[in-house]
Structures are given as C-alpha cells and as structure tokens.
Amino acid sequence: MIRSSYSYQRQNYWFLKSVFKMPDIPLDRIEYAFAEDFFDYMTLTECIQDNTAIKYLKNTKQLLKLAVQRKWLTYDPLGDFVCTYINPDRDILDMDELSALYHKEFTIPRLQETKDAYLFMALTGYAYKDALMLSPDNVAKFLRRRLDC
C-alpha cells in the first residue's frame, strides 16, 4: 500500500509541475477538466495503462470528497467524472505452463513465496482471501498406501 501511495503522489507531483508549473495547487482551483487532463497526462506522457490511471483518479476523487466532508471545499469538482474500468482479457494457464512455473526457482524469497501462493491458488481453486485465512487446523494428513496387485 505504501508503494502505490508513493507512486500516486509522484504522478500527481509531476502532473502539477508540468501542467500548473507548481508542486501543489489550492483545492478551489481544481475543476472538472483537471480529471481529464490528469488522465491524459498519465496515459500519454507517463505511458500508464488506463486502469492504473483510473485508479489514481479514483484516489483523487476520494480526497476531494473528503475535502467536501471537512468543509474545505463547497462542492466536489470531480463528482460527475465517471471512472470506467476496462476489464482485461486474461489467459488461463494450462498444465504445461503451471508445471514450468512450478519448476522455476527464484533467488529472491519473496518471489518464491509469491510463486508458491499463486500455484496453490491455481491448483486448488481457492481465492486469495480464502487461502489467506487458512490455518494449520485446516490441513489434514492423509497416508497413501501402496497397493500391490
């Protein structure tokens, strides 16, 4: 969460520096066009994908809504701006791709743990939230016996 907050602040800072020629602007100078200009800046100048730019705009809208609630602003200038999410087409990995990922070794422990968690969720069908809530009490051992026929 800290990383995304930092990225958001950085994008906002560079947008204000390039468009308004200052690192910050008063809240009452923000208009509806701010959202369109900010979106264009992020997608065209910074080459950020549309959904990421929309997420940054949603954060800005939340801040402006908070400013109205605290009576720092009389109205929300971005209240009518609609943030539309574009649902990406995601391919489903087949067993060969999952196997290749399974055999891939990462030297960074964090990446290895992420790989293991992803494979667990892909092979069990658990959602991230369900996998996160698992505890040792949820795990049972089963013994396999070799059958000689």
Side-chain angles (χ1 to χ4, degrees):
M1 197 68 161
I2 292 171
R3 189 174 133 200
S4 65
S5 175
Y6 171 75
S7 297
Y8 169 71
Q9 290 172 354
R10 185 180 42 171
Q11 294 302 329
N12 225 347
Y13 173 80
W14 287 113
F15 169 69
L16 293 174
K17 286 286 273 186
S18 67
V19 173
F20 293 97
K21 308 294 186 238
M22 57 180 80
D24 204 359
I25 60 170
L27 288 174
D28 57 0
R29 284 198 47 203
I30 296 175
E31 298 174 354
Y32 183 86
F34 177 90
E36 294 169 339
D37 295 341
F38 191 32
F39 181 80
D40 289 342
Y41 171 81
M42 288 186 291
T43 55
L44 301 175
T45 306
E46 296 295 323
C47 298
I48 292 177
Q49 296 295 316
D50 287 2
N51 286 343
T52 304
I54 288 296
K55 180 62 180 170
Y56 288 149
L57 276 169
K58 282 184 179 181
N59 291 343
T60 304
K61 284 182 68 167
Q62 287 176 346
L63 291 173
L64 291 173
K65 183 178 178 182
L66 179 65
V68 170
Q69 290 171 344
R70 292 189 176 197
K71 309 236 186 292
W72 298 339
L73 285 174
T74 56
Y75 72 100
D76 183 356
L78 304 185
D80 294 333
F81 187 83
V82 178
C83 295
T84 55
Y85 177 77
I86 301 167
N87 205 2
D89 292 329
R90 294 192 174 105
D91 294 330
I92 297 173
L93 298 182
D94 60 26
M95 284 307 289
D96 291 335
E97 293 168 322
L98 288 173
S99 178
L101 182 59
Y102 175 79
H103 293 293
K104 172 80 174 156
E105 291 296 324
F106 293 96
T107 57
I108 301 171
R110 176 180 50 85
L111 294 178
Q112 187 67 33
E113 290 173 11
T114 301
K115 176 194 87 166
D116 293 341
Y118 176 80
L119 286 171
F120 176 78
M121 290 181 287
L123 295 171
T124 62
Y126 279 120
Y128 175 77
K129 184 176 180 180
D130 298 330
L132 190 64
M133 296 183 70
L134 287 176
S135 70
D137 295 338
N138 301 116
V139 179
K141 288 185 179 180
F142 292 97
L143 298 176
R144 285 188 174 174
R145 292 186 197 161
R146 185 174 174 175
L147 299 176
D148 294 324
C149 297

